[in-house]
Amino acid sequence: MREQSHRLAEGGRIDRATPLRFTFNGRRYGGFAGDTLASALLANGVSVVGRGVKYHRPRGIFSAGSEEPNAVVQLETGAHTLANARATRVELYDGLVATSVNCWPSAEYDFAAALGLLSPLLPAGFYYKTFKWPASLWMTYEAVIRRAAGLGRAPDGPDPDRYDKINVHCDVLVVGGGPAGLAAALAAGRTGARVILADEQNEMGGALLDGHDEIDGAPAQDWTAEAAARLDAMDEVRCLPRTTVFGYYHHNFLAALERVTDHLGPQDAGVLPRQRLWRIRARKVILATGAIERPPVFAGNDRPGIMLAHAARTYVNRYAARPGRRAVLFTNNDGAYRAALDLRAADVEVAAIVDTRPEPTGDLPAEAESADIELIAGHAVVATHGRKRLSAIEVMALGDGGGQVSGEARRIPCDLLAVSGGWNPTAHLFSQSGGRLRFDATGACLVPAVAAQATRPAGAGNGTFALDGCLAEGWAAGAAAAAEVGSRARGRAAKAPGATVTPEEPPGDYGVVPAPGHPEGGPKHFVDLQNDVTAADIALAAREGYGSVEHLKRYTTLGMGTDQGKTANVAGLAILARLGGTDVAGTGHTTFRPPYTPVTFGALAGRDVGALSDAARRTPMHHWHERAGARFEDVGQWKRPWYYRHPGEDMAGAVERECLAARNTLGIMDATTLGKIDIQGPDAAELLDRVYTNAWSKLEVGRCRYSLMLGEDGMVMDDGVTARLGRHHYLMTTTTGNAARVLAWLEEWLQTEWPELRVYVASVTEQWATITLCGPNARRLLAEFTGDVDLGTQAFPFMAWRAATVGGIAARLFRVSFTGELSFEINVPARYGLGLWTAFMNAGEKYGITPLGTEAMHVLRAEKGYIIVGQETDGTVTPADLGMDWIVSSKKDFIGRRSLGRTDTARPGRKQLVGLETEDAALVLPEGAHLVENPGQEPPVPTIGHVTSSYHSANLGRSIALALVKGGRGRMGEAVHVALEGGAARAVIRDPVFFDVQGSRLHG
Amino acid sequence: MLLIPCPWCGRRDESEFACGGEAHIARPADPDAVSDAEWADYLFMRTNPKGAHRERWVHVHGCGRWFNVARHTVTHDISAAYKVGEKPPGDAS
Ligand SMILES: [Zn+2]
């Protein structure tokens, strides 16, 4: 570990008593508590921290805040790793490990920098032009580009950290803890209003931490500490440091990310979460979000050692880190002179101040001159030198209103160029909230204009840059917001904090700084440092017709990096405006979208991961199934036994065994998951008449009926059996996955269209366990368990139900069947489900009772040509398409009936349900495969339908399939071809019922 | 995220609700009396206004009730929430 070569001996808000070690790109360095990774790197004289994404030119630390485009690092390793962390916002902790992204093999020796030589081949729209068509070219380039262009790597394992979410309400949310935000929070807080003050930095103070202003006659940092302490002491005020409000949504709903323990490094088993997502509903919002300095756009402006002026000032003042030894300031405004003065105070030699304005006459320029700093007015930086670190700049005189440079170029050696093109209010949240921005010509920046919600911008974020204005505006906003929510201060009146500020002259022109020679052929003027977008790229895009701001953004990728162009966008707009002979008010701006800074997926997911990501529903017999070797499938949230694997069996063997048992002796199935809806009321039958395709009034108590439910568009939505339990009492069953949807459907119609119907619907799915016994021995086994009901086919026919005692339990028996076998569904209160199931298994041993999974059930029903909603139907299928007209009443109205007569619904040639028999009996077609008439014809070959269900049937000794085929019922016996990978298979269209066509087993 | 005033429960986050689209679309009393085009209009066609809009919401993760909301589609200002069967405020018809 070497000495911190660029660390000042004293000053700054770092704790020299707490030294820290860290590793960057494999080298070990030292820093102090209070450093950011960026300040620690600068203190160690590290100049290159990354490479440009397109040309792989070396890049250095450019800013000291969230806007950082260059110093984007990979933090930590393995599962803990975080891609795209901004070194300027990473608080240093002991043992921190970071690496540059986008460099290979290293930031300093980058192989792909050779690409820089190819830069004429990488113009704007390069991706559009090269990779659109044909696809093969894209395939060729993709691997190369992806390797070279990626930013960061994903973790290599599940996230080991915990994340929390919290919901809060408040009267006033203050975003930003700088002078305006602190004043606002104080003014609102003293009224007793519920206030939240959030700031992204580790301590409150904002830009006050970077300089040496005075407030109320005292050092501003003392005032800040006192203000923070006073806020902490207010019961209803909550201060959230390290918290970025990143999204402003409807109705004053805002989201914030609190980095709870990030500054401590990876924690193994801490009590605290790594991060916390705050979901805040605020009655009033004050946006004291500050401003972001923007760079002038000049030739060679991306070299390491070129940095925003305020950032240079921040590094010497706040972090006691010298970003260079010999500096030049390049500016168009007075404020940046403070950087030159502070750098000099920190023993950085200031070689010159280059000001684009012809005659800077403000107090700060005067102060600089009286401090014997050379002021080169009316000049611009036209070139920079140095490979891995700036070594010199060249300046020339500006003429033609700033549009041209002329005269001799003067070379000034320096290793730091502090730049300033003025400031942009951080209007991201204001714009996200729906607020309108206006272009302020004086500051050449976008400023909040018209709020769309209960929002008050204040301070620099509102275009009020001077400290006295920030304090006054923040205080007024806080007081007004509190008053609006009915909160008023008691006790003696308080006064807004005040400050005396040095007045500043208006800034000069903002846009591209000219360079000698052709503007597009010379050295690059970078606009977007992170995405390597140059002024020439913008000019090219405009020439090629991408002149609207939204098109420009997508064509050039301007502002589309992880920094979202915080230092680039306004420059890009200014350039585009000038090309079009207008200003930014004319071009407009792109949409500001959340998040303001990147948010981890972990924080958004919170605790809703792994087993908690969704509820799992299990039947009372679930553990029995597990012990019996069941493999489960998810049906909605339900876990259903898919098949029961015996030792030595594969899935096909298990399904075959189950299917044969059901037809030859006795199967048992857990059908608990079928949706069950209890319907009661005098108008229950009327409701059923309206939602089902067939008629219900004449169904007797004790009987059941199968039916289809349609959408209002006439398409099949669900099917199921409904039983009449009593005069005004029905039990409807639905498919497992549709239970909630059908209940909601009934509720919707009852509440919105038919409030006059006297009927109630309620889900009873989980109140009942349902066991299905099916097969030739079903009645025999059931008879052993019940003595109070005649199970004979005369007394208890198919599609009837009986109340009975089964194994001593009050039960409902339904004689219904989904397999085509003699079948009983036994419903008992859920708590008896497992007991009865076990009793059936024990007593059924003599019949070879066999549990059936859903796969066997699907095969058995397909043998009978029974549909599954969602498999044979897809929202475009009518009852007639399924050959189920027999179930559709023509004597009453019901939901969807009118649509069945629409021209498209009734047209000939619609796809109809048929069976398919493959020529090769062993071939099981893939579900979803398309049917064609002539596979040999020139592509494109038209499809005439597709396979909806396909299985091997052990009972038939061959494969079977169901399909939807255009005009299918008119094609019986026709041969078709099934398009498969690597060829086509022949199959014959047939009736969909493959087994027991007469239905004798069902009724036996 | 909208803050929706359920007429039964009070103001709740949008995530507790589901939107049922445009409100006050009457189902033809006698579907056979309307033409295919009129039926299709009822089935498929919805207004998409930039401005005042009335829409149906259901408080799925709450009371389960359907109700109507008058919302401005640009400002998202909710000027009223009213029960099924009630007239929208300001509607004299
Ligand atoms: Zn409610």
Side-chain angles (χ1 to χ4, degrees):
Chain A
M1 198 161 71
R2 61 210 84 186
E3 195 191 334
Q4 296 175 38
S5 58
H6 286 58
R7 182 72 75 181
L8 298 171
E10 51 190 48
R13 299 177 70 79
I14 51 166
D15 177 8
R16 287 181 178 75
T18 310
L20 304 172
R21 294 154 303 166
F22 70 102
T23 306
F24 181 68
N25 285 339
R27 286 190 206 174
R28 296 168 56 103
Y29 299 99
F32 294 115
D35 262 327
T36 62
L37 174 57
S39 69
L41 286 169
L42 286 170
N44 284 279
V46 175
S47 58
V48 180
V49 294
R51 292 270 174 172
V53 69
K54 207 152 99 181
Y55 308 112
H56 282 239
R57 289 155 66 115
R59 293 282 164 76
I61 292 162
F62 189 70
S63 77
S66 288
E67 67 271 33
E68 177 61 31
N70 289 344
V72 172
V73 300
Q74 186 89 24
L75 204 56
E76 300 303 332
T77 55
H80 275 288
T81 197
L82 178 67
N84 300 332
R86 284 146 293 127
T88 49
R89 276 286 179 262
V90 174
E91 291 179 50
L92 199 66
Y93 52 82
D94 201 45
L96 180 146
V97 177
T99 49
S100 299
V101 297
N102 208 26
C103 313
W104 182 80
S106 79
E108 287 179 53
Y109 303 99
D110 186 298
F111 186 75
L115 272 177
L117 305 173
L118 302 176
S119 63
L121 301 180
L122 293 167
F126 173 67
Y127 290 78
Y128 269 37
K129 288 166 183 163
T130 312
F131 303 131
K132 251 172 26 182
W133 195 263
S136 58
L137 258 185
W138 166 241
M139 303 304 280
T140 310
Y141 287 116
E142 188 195 9
V144 181
I145 295 289
R146 282 215 192 287
R147 172 152 183 206
L151 271 178
R153 293 178 303 279
D156 61 10
D159 193 332
D161 293 311
R162 277 188 299 112
Y163 302 84
D164 273 344
K165 290 183 195 176
I166 185 166
N167 294 285
V168 286
H169 294 257
C170 65
D171 292 323
V172 183
L173 169 66
V174 182
V175 183
L182 283 169
L186 286 169
R190 64 185 289 275
T191 69
R194 271 203 288 175
V195 176
I196 294 176
L197 171 63
D199 189 274
E200 62 178 350
Q201 300 206 63
N202 61 325
E203 54 181 328
M204 296 296 165
L208 297 176
L209 303 170
D210 310 332
H212 33 67
D213 306 279
E214 290 196 348
I215 294 176
D216 288 342
Q221 292 179 13
D222 294 351
W223 177 85
T224 298
E226 196 209 309
R230 276 166 61 199
L231 290 169
D232 273 337
M234 294 179 186
D235 287 343
E236 296 297 329
V237 175
R238 190 201 299 265
C239 292
L240 296 174
R242 299 189 173 98
T243 303
T244 306
V245 178
F246 64 81
Y248 196 142
Y249 308 91
H250 302 146
H251 293 176
N252 266 10
F253 181 84
L254 296 93
L257 180 71
E258 181 186 8
R259 291 167 295 278
V260 183
T261 58
D262 274 357
H263 62 291
L264 304 174
Q267 304 275 296
D268 280 335
V271 177
L272 292 169
R274 177 180 171 205
Q275 298 177 340
R276 189 180 281 136
L277 182 73
W278 290 77
R279 297 153 48 95
I280 306 168
R281 183 78 71 175
R283 295 173 74 186
K284 305 288 167 189
V285 173
I286 294 170
L287 295 178
T289 44
I292 293 173
E293 196 169 20
R294 62 201 184 186
V297 177
F298 57 98
N301 59 342
D302 69 325
R303 242 175 261 285
I306 300 174
M307 149 181 319
L308 291 170
H310 186 82
R313 184 173 183 234
T314 299
Y315 285 119
V316 291
N317 289 343
R318 180 170 176 187
Y319 298 107
R322 244 190 310 238
R325 299 194 187 280
R326 188 164 201 270
V328 171
L329 172 69
F330 180 29
T331 180
N332 72 344
N333 63 83
D334 282 8
Y337 280 70
R338 291 194 185 93
L341 294 165
D342 288 358
L343 282 167
R344 211 174 77 155
D347 276 343
V348 176
E349 183 187 351
V350 179
I353 295 175
V354 181
D355 196 321
T356 56
R357 296 172 296 179
E359 283 178 62
T361 55
D363 292 357
L364 283 163
E367 197 180 328
E369 280 201 291
S370 66
D372 278 341
I373 299 176
E374 184 189 4
L375 174 54
I376 310 176
H379 277 62
V381 177
V382 296
T384 65
H385 300 278
R387 268 193 66 236
K388 289 178 208 160
R389 165 110 226 176
L390 185 70
S391 62
I393 59 163
E394 288 177 42
V395 300
M396 284 172 78
L398 279 166
D400 185 27
Q404 273 186 11
V405 285
S406 57
E408 281 291 296
R410 176 177 158 196
R411 190 180 173 107
I412 306 173
C414 60
D415 64 351
L416 172 66
L417 179 63
V419 298
S420 178
W423 293 78
N424 292 323
T426 308
H428 298 64
L429 292 176
F430 186 84
S431 183
Q432 284 179 25
S433 77
R436 240 184 26 243
L437 307 179
R438 70 179 166 83
F439 182 68
D440 176 72
T442 313
C445 57
L446 291 161
V447 180
V450 184
Q453 302 194 28
T455 314
R456 277 190 175 76
N462 194 33
T464 303
F465 295 113
L467 179 56
D468 53 345
C470 289
L471 292 166
E473 213 168 275
W475 182 269
E484 278 174 12
V485 300
S487 188
R488 265 168 233 294
R490 278 178 286 268
R492 60 195 173 81
K495 203 162 88 359
T500 312
V501 297
T502 313
E504 293 179 26
E505 302 277 292
D509 203 25
Y510 182 61
V512 178
V513 177
H518 192 278
E520 286 175 38
K524 289 180 169 32
H525 291 63
F526 283 93
V527 178
D528 184 327
L529 288 166
Q530 190 168 98
N531 272 1
D532 270 3
V533 179
T534 65
D537 290 332
I538 292 172
L540 178 65
R543 273 206 311 280
E544 295 187 346
Y546 293 88
S548 102
V549 291
E550 295 288 353
H551 291 161
L552 175 78
K553 165 179 163 178
R554 284 155 185 83
Y555 195 62
T556 61
T557 73
L558 171 72
M560 290 175 74
T562 60
D563 64 339
Q564 294 186 62
K566 289 185 178 65
T567 56
N569 285 345
V570 170
L573 295 177
I575 294 166
L576 184 69
R578 192 149 308 176
L579 292 167
T582 175
D583 62 13
V584 175
T587 59
H589 58 86
T590 52
T591 312
F592 291 88
R593 291 196 172 86
Y596 173 67
T597 47
V599 178
T600 54
F601 285 114
L604 297 175
R607 303 284 179 107
D608 305 328
V609 292
L612 297 178
S613 64
D614 195 14
R617 302 173 78 184
R618 298 181 177 87
T619 75
M621 293 83 100
H622 185 82
H623 294 299
W624 190 96
H625 302 321
E626 281 183 332
R627 283 195 296 274
R631 299 294 184 274
F632 291 88
E633 73 167 332
D634 291 339
V635 184
Q637 291 173 323
W638 286 104
K639 303 286 178 194
R640 295 199 74 179
W642 190 16
Y643 59 95
Y644 297 81
R645 205 168 76 175
H646 287 185
E649 255 180 356
D650 60 4
M651 178 177 174
V655 172
E656 186 160 329
R657 174 178 50 74
E658 292 172 21
C659 287
L660 290 170
R663 295 254 186 257
N664 296 330
T665 170
L666 181 58
I668 181 170
M669 202 181 71
D670 183 353
T672 303
T673 64
L674 279 185
K676 297 182 272 294
I677 299 173
D678 194 84
I679 303 176
Q680 296 193 43
D683 292 321
E686 177 64 25
L687 173 66
L688 293 172
D689 267 343
R690 294 185 189 189
V691 299
Y692 271 143
T693 54
N694 44 6
W696 290 85
S697 343
K698 295 206 180 99
L699 185 76
E700 294 164 24
V701 174
R703 301 296 302 225
C704 314
R705 184 164 285 169
Y706 172 80
S707 193
L708 295 177
M709 194 177 282
L710 309 185
E712 188 74 306
D713 58 2
M715 304 302 157
V716 174
M717 182 185 127
D718 201 56
D719 69 345
V721 168
T722 297
R724 187 166 190 183
L725 301 182
R727 190 165 160 239
H728 295 153
H729 191 188
Y730 293 79
L731 182 73
M732 173 188 282
T733 61
T734 73
T735 52
T736 296
N738 254 349
R741 182 171 169 222
V742 169
L743 182 69
W745 178 249
L746 300 178
E747 272 292 342
E748 178 179 349
W749 284 88
L750 283 172
Q751 288 187 34
T752 62
E753 285 291 333
W754 308 322
E756 73 282 3
L757 291 187
R758 294 160 301 162
V759 56
Y760 290 93
V761 295
S763 167
V764 293
T765 303
E766 294 192 335
Q767 279 66 32
W768 298 89
T770 304
I771 300 170
T772 302
L773 294 175
C774 71
N777 285 312
R779 183 181 284 123
R780 276 184 208 109
L781 179 64
L782 185 56
E784 293 177 24
F785 283 80
T786 181
D788 58 353
V789 66
D790 182 351
L791 299 176
T793 201
Q794 297 300 321
F796 193 173
F798 180 57
M799 292 307 263
W801 83 272
R802 297 289 179 264
T805 308
V806 177
I809 307 158
R812 292 169 178 168
L813 304 185
F814 298 85
R815 200 179 150 192
V816 295
S817 177
F818 193 44
T819 56
E821 290 300 317
L822 169 67
S823 177
F824 294 91
E825 280 184 7
I826 301 110
N827 281 19
V828 293
R831 63 187 178 282
Y832 296 117
L834 178 59
L836 185 60
W837 177 279
T838 311
F840 279 149
M841 285 306 301
N842 291 337
E845 213 177 334
K846 54 186 170 290
Y847 301 118
I849 189 168
T850 300
L852 309 180
T854 51
E855 187 67 15
M857 178 186 80
H858 287 181
V859 176
L860 293 166
R861 67 87 205 178
E863 289 172 351
K864 290 290 295 176
Y866 295 158
I867 62 157
I868 291 183
V869 169
Q871 191 154 340
E872 271 64 54
T873 72
D874 60 4
T876 68
V877 177
T878 67
D881 297 340
L882 297 170
M884 294 173 78
D885 303 66
W886 52 271
I887 212 170
V888 178
S889 167
S890 57
K891 298 196 181 70
K892 53 140 197 170
D893 193 25
F894 54 86
I895 295 170
R897 184 191 57 85
R898 175 63 182 82
S899 293
L900 298 178
R902 295 179 67 240
T903 44
D904 185 67
T905 324
R907 75 177 152 78
R910 287 181 61 87
K911 286 187 185 179
Q912 295 172 323
L913 184 70
V914 296
L916 277 186
E917 216 167 83
T918 48
E919 199 165 70
D920 173 3
L923 175 66
V924 179
L925 296 169
E927 287 171 358
H930 277 268
L931 311 181
V932 298
E933 280 169 334
N934 176 11
Q937 79 181 84
E938 273 294 298
V941 184
T943 173
I944 58 167
H946 65 275
V947 177
T948 59
S949 293
S950 176
Y951 310 95
H952 171 71
S953 164
N955 290 297
L956 294 161
R958 59 156 299 127
S959 70
I960 58 169
L962 299 173
L964 284 166
V965 180
K966 284 180 185 170
R969 281 198 295 279
R971 293 176 182 253
M972 290 298 152
E974 272 184 30
V976 288
H977 299 269
V978 186
L980 301 173
E981 231 177 319
R986 276 170 61 88
V988 174
I989 295 179
R990 50 156 294 156
D991 187 85
V993 184
F994 291 85
F995 186 81
D996 186 24
V997 178
Q998 312 304 324
S1000 52
R1001 290 168 163 259
L1002 194 64
H1003 293 93
Chain B
M1 180 166 338
L2 302 176
L3 192 60
I4 298 174
C6 172
W8 307 91
C9 307
R11 294 190 300 173
R12 297 286 191 277
D13 277 353
E14 182 185 347
S15 53
E16 294 184 14
F17 299 83
C19 185
E22 187 176 1
H24 305 297
I25 291 176
R27 187 173 199 258
D30 179 3
D32 293 317
V34 300
S35 68
D36 270 12
E38 287 165 326
W39 183 254
D41 188 60
Y42 152 72
L43 258 189
F44 303 120
M45 303 311 284
R46 299 292 181 267
T47 59
N48 184 21
K50 183 178 182 180
H53 193 41
R54 291 170 190 144
E55 55 201 12
R56 308 183 315 144
W57 286 82
V58 58
H59 198 179
V60 185
H61 303 292
C63 62
R65 294 278 196 163
W66 282 89
F67 58 96
N68 296 317
V69 166
R71 181 177 67 97
H72 192 285
T73 59
V74 179
T75 65
H76 299 289
D77 183 43
I78 293 177
S79 55
Y82 50 102
K83 295 173 186 176
V84 169
E86 290 179 355
K87 285 230 170 11
D91 186 346
S93 61

